[in-house]
C-alpha cells in the first residue's frame, strides 16, 4: 500500500509513467527494492482474476512482512547483547505474528 501511495503522489506531482523516474522519486530504500522487483516482473496486460487477487494479497501483506523482518532484527540484536530474556520474548512475539498472519 505504501508503494501505491507514493505512486499516486508521483502522478499528482505531474510526473509521467516512467519506472526509472519513479525509483528516483522514492526516498525509502526498501520501497525502491520492491518497486525495482515489480518493474522486473513479466506481467501480462490481461491478468486473470486470480492473478490480480494474488497481487493485491501480496501488497496487503507487505506491512506484516516488514514487522516480521523488524522482529527478526531485534532478536539478533538482543542475542548479540546476550539479552536472552528479551530475545525469547521477541521470538514468542514473532511466532505469534507468523501464526496470526500466516507468514
Amino acid at each position: 500500500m505504501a508503494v501505491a501511495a507514493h505512486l499516486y503522489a508521483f502522478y499528482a506531482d505531474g510526473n509521467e509513467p516512467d519506472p526509472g523516474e519513479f525509483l528516483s522519486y522514492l526516498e525509502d530504500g526498501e520501497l525502491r527494492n520492491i518497486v525495482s522487483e515489480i518493474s522486473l516482473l513479466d506481467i501480462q496486460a490481461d491478468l486473470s482474476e486470480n492473478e490480480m487477487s494474488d497481487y493485491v494479497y501480496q501488497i496487503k501483506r507487505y506491512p506484516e512482512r516488514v514487522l516480521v523482518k523488524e522482529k527478526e532484527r531485534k532478536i539478533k540484536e538482543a542475542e548479540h547483547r546476550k539479552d536472552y530474556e528479551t530475545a525469547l520474548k521477541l521470538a514468542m512475539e514473532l511466532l505469534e505474528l507468523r501464526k496470526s498472519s500466516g507468514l
Side-chain angles (χ1 to χ4, degrees):
M1 294 226 214
V3 172
H6 282 77
L7 187 58
Y8 291 137
F10 177 75
Y11 288 134
D13 287 346
N15 293 295
E16 295 294 321
D18 183 330
E21 286 296 317
F22 183 56
L23 281 170
S24 297
Y25 178 84
L26 294 172
E27 294 178 10
D28 184 306
E30 181 71 22
L31 287 178
R32 255 191 249 129
N33 290 340
I34 291 168
V35 170
S36 182
E37 288 177 23
I38 291 171
S39 70
L40 295 175
L41 292 175
D42 183 26
I43 300 174
Q44 303 169 9
D46 297 326
L47 295 175
S48 72
E49 189 173 323
N50 286 341
E51 289 171 317
M52 182 58 82
S53 294
D54 186 49
Y55 287 131
V56 170
Y57 177 74
Q58 294 302 324
I59 291 169
K60 286 182 176 179
R61 294 196 58 181
Y62 173 75
E64 294 167 341
R65 287 194 300 272
V66 170
L67 285 174
V68 166
K69 285 184 180 182
E70 181 65 18
K71 290 276 185 204
E72 290 171 342
R73 184 187 64 76
K74 287 181 177 183
I75 290 169
K76 287 179 184 178
E77 286 177 359
E79 290 173 343
H80 182 72
R81 293 187 318 264
K82 299 185 190 285
D83 184 356
Y84 300 114
E85 186 176 327
T86 300
L88 179 60
K89 179 182 172 224
L90 291 166
M92 296 301 289
E93 291 173 8
L94 177 60
L95 285 173
E96 188 59 38
L97 179 60
R98 284 185 171 157
K99 182 178 164 184
S100 67
S101 67
L103 294 175

